[in-house]
Amino acid sequence: MNDSEYMALALAEAQKGVGRTSPNPPVGCVIVRDGEVVGRGFHPKAGEAHAEVFALREAGERARGATAYVTLEPCSHFGRTPPCADALIAAGVARVVVAAGDPNPQVNGRGLQKLRAAGITVETGVLETEAEAQQAGFRSLVTRGRPHVVYKYAMTLDGKVAALNEGNGPVSGPEARARVMAWRNECDAIAVGARTALLDDPQLNVRGLEGGRDPRPVLFDPEGHVPPTARAIREGTVLVLREGRAAPLEGDPRVTVLRAHSLPHALEQLAGLGISTLLLEGGPTLASAFFEAGLIDELRVFVAPKLLGAGLSPLLSPVRSMHAAQGLAVRSVDVLGNDVLIVADGRWQKAEGESSYTDSA
């Protein structure tokens, strides 16, 4: 096996912690000596040992002279746990291969520098793109002070997410819905607007996934219309109101209430709650407000082989011509059952000014 193959094993270890480590990043580590993996580890949650420590514990004396593959630059400072760079040095590893650097100002190259100063061979950038995508939430918190936002929706071949009248049901098939449950399991929080909460009354939880854990529901309800009986309300629910508004959910012990004058302000406050990844499943009004504010980082779109004709589009278009349409970079295209999944970067920049928080979708 080569460095990329061993790093892929480390990324698979890190994947075990995705959705559980916020505000820390998911990190994986494998220790290899003489072509044999002698230690594996991942960071399970904030406050517990880091991936390198678990891998070194499993490797024991076999770590001496070995190569450590780590998906993120080993930390060099004392936080809740001692520095991982020091642990690697003490274990006597001869070489460390790192996928991606740590943007945290307390680290940001210092971990690599400490390893090299100790005489350890250090190489970086192996499967860097994959590692950075896996760490997107952490990187967004550190560099932008807000969660990484993913807009997920399913639409028909003619671009409709719902019918205009009654009779709405699932747009996509069971394979697509199972994938959504896996995404919910990996995200810190899931968001909808007031209209979706009132009309659809979604549970916003994980179903049919063994070992799954429910994300925190986030309700963007600027006018305070969602009642305590909504099915999405559970321990850890976050309610986002417009500044100066009251709501029936205030005082509910299950709910944290935030007041925001804009969507960027709301996301800053969600970051303060330790939310690093936000799965946006609201209607077109809420999604359009996020887009216009430049707050969508990634789109995950299911296209179902159905034709609806009249119906709701996934966005309320802010442009009037095809020449002004926003072009996006496609990351991947996959077939799930009878549906097509398109994943794309979500860079939509508002021409000028900042969107105010007026959504009620």
Side-chain angles (χ1 to χ4, degrees), residues 105-131:
Q106 293 181 295
V107 185
N108 197 18
R110 292 182 178 88
L112 304 179
Q113 185 179 35
K114 179 176 281 192
L115 293 171
R116 289 184 174 119
I120 295 174
T121 300
V122 177
E123 297 181 35
T124 62
V126 178
L127 300 189
E128 181 178 28
T129 299
E130 292 84 349

Side-chain angles (χ1 to χ4, degrees), residues 33-338:
R33 180 172 175 175
D34 299 328
E36 178 188 358
V37 176
V38 296
R40 301 172 187 255
F42 69 96
H43 180 46
K45 66 178 182 179
E48 293 197 11
H50 291 182
E52 297 94 322
V53 173
F54 285 109
L56 289 170
R57 286 176 184 171
E58 183 177 310
E61 283 301 314
R62 294 175 295 175
R64 191 163 301 278
T67 296
Y69 294 86
V70 192
T71 60
L72 183 70
E73 175 184 356
C75 60
S76 55
H77 65 293
F78 281 87
R80 297 187 188 181
T81 59
C84 290
D86 290 357
L88 291 166
I89 294 169
V93 300
R95 179 171 174 254
V96 175
V97 181
V98 176
D102 190 337
N104 184 342
Q106 293 181 295
V107 185
N108 197 18
R110 292 182 178 88
L112 304 179
Q113 185 179 35
K114 179 176 281 192
L115 293 171
R116 289 184 174 119
I120 295 174
T121 300
V122 177
E123 297 181 35
T124 62
V126 178
L127 300 189
E128 181 178 28
T129 299
E130 292 84 349
E132 289 184 345
Q134 192 178 59
Q135 303 154 9
F138 164 74
R139 292 178 173 275
S140 185
L141 282 188
V142 171
T143 62
R144 299 182 296 183
R146 69 164 179 84
H148 178 79
V149 178
V150 177
Y151 177 32
K152 184 278 311 179
Y153 62 93
M155 68 179 186
T156 61
L157 277 176
D158 52 348
K160 306 303 179 184
V161 296
L164 293 177
N165 301 314
E166 295 182 2
N168 282 315
V171 176
S172 53
E175 295 85 356
R177 295 196 293 276
R179 180 66 60 89
V180 172
M181 293 301 116
W183 290 340
R184 289 182 178 185
N185 175 58
E186 295 173 352
C187 287
D188 295 328
I190 179 172
V192 298
R195 188 174 304 165
T196 298
L198 292 169
L199 295 181
D200 297 344
D201 197 17
Q203 297 182 64
L204 304 182
N205 60 2
V206 172
R207 301 180 295 279
L209 185 65
E210 184 177 355
R213 79 88 185 90
D214 294 335
R216 294 184 71 171
V218 177
L219 307 179
F220 285 88
D221 183 16
E223 304 301 325
H225 295 311
V226 177
T229 54
R231 294 198 300 170
I233 307 302
R234 57 178 176 266
E235 185 69 30
T237 295
V238 180
L239 176 70
V240 183
L241 294 171
R242 195 196 316 276
E243 289 182 341
R245 297 291 182 179
L249 283 170
E250 289 190 89
D252 190 314
R254 301 169 296 173
V255 178
T256 297
V257 177
L258 305 178
R259 285 184 167 78
H261 56 74
S262 67
L263 286 177
H265 184 212
L267 291 189
E268 289 174 8
Q269 294 184 73
L270 291 177
L273 297 177
I275 293 173
S276 66
T277 50
L278 181 69
L279 185 62
L280 182 62
E281 292 197 13
T285 307
L286 181 62
S288 297
F290 267 80
F291 266 118
E292 291 183 41
L295 297 173
I296 298 290
D297 299 304
E298 183 180 341
L299 288 92
R300 300 176 186 176
V301 183
F302 293 104
V303 182
K306 299 177 181 179
L307 297 174
L308 187 59
L312 295 177
S313 297
L315 290 173
L316 306 177
S317 177
V319 297
R320 299 300 181 193
S321 71
M322 189 61 70
H323 296 292
Q326 176 68 43
L328 304 174
V330 173
R331 294 185 188 175
S332 63
V333 179
D334 296 300
V335 177
L336 276 76
N338 210 27

